[in-house]
Amino acid sequence: MAKDLRSYLEDLGKRAPQEIKVISREVDPTFGVTGIAEKFEKQGEYPALYFRKIKGSKLPLVINVGATYQRLAWALETTVQEMVERWAKGEQGALPVKEVAVGPVKEVVLKGNDVDLSLLPITTHNALDGGAYIAAGVSLLRDPDSGRINGGIYRHQVHGKQTLGLMINPANHGNYVRVRYREMNKPMEIAIIVGHHPAFLMSAVSKLPGIGGELEVAGGLLGENLPVCRGETVDLPIPAYAEIAIEGIVEPGAVKYEGPFGEWPGYYMMQGDRPFITVTAITMRRDAIYQDLFNAHPEHQILGALPRMGSILRRTREVVPGTRAVNLPISGCGRCYCYISIKKRAEGEPKQAAFAALATEPNIIEVVVVDEDINVFNETDVLWAKATRFDPAKDLIIMQNCLGGHLNPTAHDYTGLGKGVLQTKMISDATKPLPPIQFPERAMVPTEVIEKIDLSTGVEEFTGF
């Protein structure tokens, strides 16, 4: 049986049942689902939440699946310590999709007047959101020039029973595809996949060179060729073991008012006239599970951070083979700060590594490059290196008017014409100089002593003298 959302949830339930909470009472899709998720969050808990009854729909809903690195590591069958390395290897070992005649996602087929988005438990997430949004849908588009399939997670506001909004980051490949169709004055087909294995969702966020390849990366991460079948009304591959697929057409030049929406920086961002989708078909399993994502909260940041880290690690190693680790810390929303550790072999390599990271992820504001003895997942360790190995006079590079992340409030559309946003970027080289320059040694207990210590025996809690 192919891996999918159900296989993951079943495995999670056996491995760590405390990681899933089941909500049996009926919950309102407007703030009810996310209200419960935020209530847990305020208690310092981030469980996956399975809702059996959503008001107005017959379908159950799951949210917060990707709200912890531990659950994402399990999805990749690895540990938190090894998950970025595992991602980079999975991305590099992409597998071609496997064409199948049909799959569970085609058990129910709705076309024509039967298409009705209100059948789905689409939620309104945060107080000032412009309405109900599909937040965890993977959009598939065909590049008209190469024919390659591009995948990405975008936001889709419900405008009506057969109409959805479409907002794509201008720097994303999906937007290049959309603009190309508009230049050709041709309608663009789209398929939104709702409900699949976390590895599938994360593959759509990976930062790949060139347009397309996300479905193949999903196969590499899953360790099996992703089964796909043909769309009902669009010429696009539909993952056969998805829960729900929404097919539609984007007409060139047609717009509707969309937004605002709580975005990953934690602010309501972007509203105005945007393209929209006319839905032509909905297909799903008979007992489909609707998968949601808690936008502007940890799930939004964490689910997007791990794929980016893996992509940056792989791309940076192509330039600086001594790259050891990459972290996009949650202190920077999993997007804005990037910590890279390297085994430096030549002066200037830290800048090269940083340039590769900045070229891979436009949302990064600052890259801090440290030596291999620094744990990039320990922010105190990184800041210690910056405090003691970084001299702003010679180790800081500031670059103005770089392509930025359009959802960050610090980004600016300097043209005023919606032609892209610009930001100032920084590179901080917090690595030690290479010999013959002498630099003090770090004060540490001998490594061989630490490795021999076993804390599982002979250590007890203090109960008094």
Side-chain angles (χ1 to χ4, degrees):
M1 182 65 71
K3 294 177 183 175
D4 56 14
L5 176 62
R6 294 165 189 241
S7 67
Y8 172 75
L9 292 176
E10 288 174 4
D11 177 70
L12 181 62
K14 294 174 183 176
R15 183 196 300 265
Q18 73 280 2
E19 292 284 334
I20 306 179
K21 306 292 185 186
V22 177
I23 313 300
S24 297
R25 67 178 182 272
E26 185 177 77
V27 175
D28 196 309
T30 301
F31 310 136
V33 168
T34 51
I36 291 174
E38 185 156 354
K39 186 76 171 181
F40 275 108
E41 183 181 322
K42 289 183 180 301
Q43 297 174 179
E45 300 177 62
Y46 304 90
L49 298 173
Y50 184 86
F51 294 82
R52 295 193 186 279
K53 299 177 183 178
I54 303 296
K55 184 178 179 181
S57 177
K58 296 179 180 179
L59 304 184
L61 177 151
V62 66
I63 194 172
N64 248 19
V65 171
T68 71
Y69 281 127
Q70 180 61 78
R71 292 203 292 274
L72 295 185
W74 284 333
L76 299 178
E77 298 180 356
T78 187
T79 64
V80 172
Q81 291 74 24
E82 297 295 327
M83 64 184 182
V84 179
E85 195 74 47
R86 168 71 180 88
W87 179 277
K89 290 178 180 177
E91 190 176 277
Q92 194 166 16
L95 297 173
V97 299
K98 180 175 68 175
E99 295 268 357
V100 296
V102 72
V105 73
K106 295 295 186 72
E107 289 173 349
V108 175
V109 177
L110 304 174
K111 293 190 287 189
N113 292 332
D114 292 331
V115 171
D116 187 353
L117 291 167
S118 69
L119 297 172
L120 308 179
I122 304 174
T123 62
T124 303
H125 299 78
N126 294 299
L128 300 183
D129 285 351
Y133 273 83
I134 295 175
V138 174
S139 295
L140 303 178
L141 311 169
R142 185 182 297 278
D143 177 33
D145 296 319
S146 68
R148 300 196 73 197
I149 301 300
N150 193 82
I153 299 180
Y154 313 126
R155 75 189 206 194
H156 304 286
Q157 183 177 357
V158 178
H159 291 314
K161 290 185 177 182
Q162 298 182 351
T163 313
L164 283 171
L166 175 63
M167 199 285 279
I168 309 177
N169 184 330
N172 284 0
H173 289 148
N175 194 58
Y176 288 95
V177 174
R178 183 192 67 80
V179 170
R180 183 69 181 120
Y181 278 100
R182 189 182 64 191
E183 291 172 344
M184 299 167 66
N185 198 33
K186 291 184 176 180
M188 180 180 74
E189 296 183 335
I190 185 170
I192 304 169
I193 310 305
V194 180
H196 212 300
H197 194 280
F200 174 78
L201 269 72
M202 288 189 288
S203 70
V205 189
S206 56
K207 295 296 180 179
L208 305 178
I211 293 174
E214 288 82 4
L215 296 182
E216 292 78 8
V217 167
L221 295 168
L222 292 168
E224 60 187 35
N225 305 83
L226 183 72
V228 298
C229 49
R230 307 314 298 173
E232 293 290 318
T233 59
V234 296
D235 182 24
L236 292 168
I238 307 298
Y241 287 83
E243 297 293 321
I244 302 165
I246 301 169
E247 303 176 10
I249 299 292
V250 179
E251 296 290 347
V255 297
K256 286 183 181 292
Y257 194 87
E258 186 267 354
F261 185 64
E263 285 288 355
W264 57 262
Y267 299 96
Y268 297 100
M269 297 296 297
M270 308 297 289
Q271 58 191 43
D273 289 337
R274 305 197 189 286
F276 65 90
I277 303 162
T278 299
V279 180
T280 53
I282 299 175
T283 71
M284 67 181 90
R285 298 182 186 229
R286 282 189 207 88
D287 56 349
I289 303 169
Y290 180 85
Q291 186 170 4
D292 200 3
L293 182 144
F294 196 4
N295 60 301
H297 289 264
E299 183 182 22
H300 199 173
Q301 298 166 347
I302 288 172
L303 191 69
L306 174 54
R308 287 173 166 86
M309 286 190 268
S311 296
I312 292 169
L313 177 63
R314 189 166 74 90
R315 301 282 291 281
T316 303
R317 275 187 180 154
E318 293 172 356
V319 178
V320 180
T323 301
R324 292 292 187 257
V326 170
N327 183 27
L328 295 170
I330 298 304
S331 59
C333 304
R335 307 285 193 283
C336 301
Y337 299 150
C338 181
Y339 302 153
I340 303 174
S341 63
I342 67 171
K343 181 178 177 59
K344 187 167 71 172
R345 294 180 172 87
E347 297 297 351
E349 277 191 328
K351 277 80 170 179
Q352 290 296 102
F355 290 146
L358 289 168
T360 303
E361 175 49 66
N363 286 303
I364 296 172
I365 295 174
E366 180 181 10
V367 181
V368 181
V369 186
V370 296
D371 295 294
E372 63 178 329
D373 67 315
I374 302 299
N375 179 4
V376 295
F377 292 94
N378 181 337
E379 202 153 29
T380 298
D381 212 21
V382 173
L383 295 179
W384 174 83
K386 193 173 180 182
T388 61
R389 301 178 182 179
F390 167 75
D391 178 359
K394 63 181 182 64
D395 297 323
L396 175 66
I397 296 178
I398 297 177
M399 298 169 288
Q400 296 181 329
N401 297 332
C402 301
L403 178 65
H406 77 311
L407 295 175
N408 193 318
T410 65
H412 301 281
D413 177 5
Y414 291 100
T415 67
L417 300 174
K419 297 296 184 181
V421 292
L422 303 176
Q423 283 180 295
T424 298
K425 308 292 181 84
M426 297 189 299
I427 298 173
S428 297
D429 181 354
T431 61
K432 297 180 294 185
L434 292 170
I437 296 175
Q438 295 296 315
F439 198 86
E441 288 293 323
R442 187 177 185 182
M444 298 177 66
V445 176
T447 302
E448 59 271 20
V449 172
I450 296 173
E451 290 177 347
K452 293 178 181 178
I453 295 174
D454 182 3
L455 296 179
S456 64
T457 61
V459 180
E460 302 174 358
E461 292 185 2
F462 178 72
T463 56
F465 296 105

